[in-house]
Amino acid sequence: MRPMSPASLPRPERSPAASAGSCTSSPRGRQDVAEVEIAGAVEAPYFVLGKTRNWKTVRERPAPWAEFATSKVVITVPSDVIRKLDDPAALMRFWDEVMDACADLAARPHERESPERYVADVQISVGYMHAGYPIMTHLDAAPRFVDAATLRKQGDWGMFHEMGHNHQHRDWTFGGTTEVTCNLFTLYVMETVCGVERPRDNDAAQVRRYRAGGRKFTQWKRQPFLALAMYRELRDAFGWDAYKQVFAEYRDLKPPARPKTDAEKRDQWMVRFSKTVGKNLGPFFQWWGVPVSSAARKQITNLPAWMPKRSDR
């Protein structure tokens, strides 16, 4: 039996496999009551940051699944990968840093209504990893979830990528960028938490091929890392704070101001980013072949035109 703890985690010194009890509350303020009795349960390794004591005893509990929890993230992995884990506090402090970094970039509070979840399992819904609640991955990734030293030194692109999906927003994610804007969070976590910067050689090679092929938007939309190179140029020129300001602006939009179509999303992204950084990004979008309307371009004609200083332009 896999221990699953409620959204109100963490709870102190309780194994998720309790023998009996009652539920007197549920999410969103409901007050449903249910009596539950569980027979034949065994205790699971269960660590709550700041509350669990005697970890070296707790980690030997016999249930096949273990959980590590903070108010921001819960990680579920097979117990056999955590039996020799000596410092779960350092591990979960790292994962809290990842959550806080994602919140910072998304311009959200650090405190969450409920924790995000990662679960490694033998069978998942789709692909090798997928976003959602929980974020899921296959069992071979389980040891990586609990290797704090390697995570802090090298990061994990796939794990951060899926968490990025849980933080991206449809208002600034238009057609072709579903697998792109999530990687803004991947890059941000890799850089700010792990101190690792994605190599640029492949970006440059993709940009050269894209230029040689005529810079067609249909191609741009099919190649997530090519598209990410465009977003990365904005980060290089204007920093992550520009992204944070733009995301905060989107977060506070009233429903009538939110873009409804892909064309509106592209227009608003260019206009809002341009006004945030004080530069006319029209030539930049044109070079990349990302279509925007003439009405959108007119909104930023009073700003100085901008293009990155690159030898391939």
Side-chain angles (χ1 to χ4, degrees):
M1 179 178 71
R2 177 182 302 126
M4 298 297 286
S5 38
S8 58
L9 275 171
R11 292 181 177 178
E13 293 304 310
R14 295 273 301 194
S15 169
S19 59
S22 64
C23 176
T24 58
S25 64
S26 56
R28 304 298 180 186
R30 294 181 60 185
Q31 296 296 315
D32 297 337
V33 177
E35 294 292 332
V36 178
E37 183 174 345
I38 300 173
V42 293
E43 286 193 305
Y46 182 49
F47 177 85
V48 179
L49 183 64
K51 296 183 178 181
T52 299
R53 303 290 183 264
N54 303 315
W55 167 246
K56 289 188 177 181
T57 299
V58 171
R59 71 183 180 184
E60 298 302 326
R61 290 173 179 172
W65 293 90
E67 277 197 345
F68 300 84
T70 78
S71 62
K72 300 170 183 178
V73 62
V74 180
I75 296 172
T76 305
V77 292
S79 296
D80 59 5
V81 306
I82 61 90
R83 299 297 187 195
K84 296 182 179 180
L85 177 62
D86 291 328
D87 193 353
L91 173 71
M92 297 313 292
R93 284 194 295 268
F94 168 82
W95 280 109
D96 268 2
E97 288 181 44
V98 172
M99 297 302 109
D100 288 349
C102 289
D104 285 342
L105 184 58
R108 300 181 186 177
H110 283 186
E111 294 306 315
R112 296 169 181 266
E113 291 186 8
S114 62
E116 299 282 352
R117 277 185 172 273
Y118 281 104
V119 175
D121 210 342
V122 68
Q123 182 177 2
I124 69 174
S125 298
V126 64
Y128 176 68
M129 287 187 180
H130 66 73
Y133 188 85
I135 295 169
M136 297 199 72
T137 185
H138 287 279
L139 290 176
D140 64 311
R144 306 203 310 269
F145 276 109
V146 297
D147 186 350
T150 301
L151 284 169
R152 190 168 289 282
K153 183 179 180 180
Q154 300 178 8
D156 192 294
W157 187 275
M159 293 178 185
F160 303 159
H161 169 94
E162 301 304 344
M163 188 57 70
H165 276 303
N166 280 13
H167 288 79
Q168 70 186 161
H169 198 283
R170 61 180 177 272
D171 284 354
W172 37 263
T173 299
F174 51 85
T177 64
T178 300
E179 297 300 324
V180 180
T181 61
C182 64
N183 275 333
L184 293 172
F185 295 89
T186 318
L187 288 173
Y188 186 75
V189 173
M190 292 287 282
E191 292 177 12
T192 62
V193 178
C194 306
V196 177
E197 187 171 346
R198 177 178 167 79
R200 296 174 181 273
D201 292 347
N202 191 49
D203 286 358
Q206 287 192 95
V207 171
R208 287 194 296 270
R209 289 194 295 269
Y210 184 58
R211 180 184 60 181
R215 305 196 305 270
K216 298 175 182 178
F217 186 52
T218 52
Q219 179 186 354
W220 187 93
K221 291 196 295 183
R222 291 195 303 265
Q223 297 181 242
F225 285 105
L226 170 66
L228 185 61
M230 177 183 176
Y231 285 80
R232 199 174 183 188
E233 287 189 324
L234 294 174
R235 172 256 179 269
D236 290 344
F238 306 111
W240 287 117
D241 281 349
Y243 276 101
K244 294 175 185 179
Q245 292 175 47
V246 175
F247 290 159
E249 183 177 329
Y250 274 100
R251 180 198 61 204
D252 295 335
L253 288 180
K254 301 298 182 184
R258 296 189 180 279
K260 306 300 189 298
T261 66
D262 254 18
E264 289 178 358
K265 290 178 182 181
R266 293 193 300 269
D267 281 358
Q268 284 203 26
W269 179 248
M270 181 190 71
V271 171
R272 294 185 188 281
F273 211 104
S274 293
K275 291 182 177 180
T276 294
V277 301
K279 301 290 184 180
N280 180 345
L281 300 182
F284 178 66
F285 274 66
Q286 183 178 14
W287 190 95
W288 276 101
V290 177
V292 291
S293 69
S294 58
R297 288 194 295 270
K298 287 180 181 178
Q299 293 182 52
I300 53 176
T301 53
N302 62 316
L303 299 173
W306 177 83
M307 282 287 289
K309 295 179 180 179
R310 289 273 301 275
S311 59
D312 57 3
R313 293 293 186 267

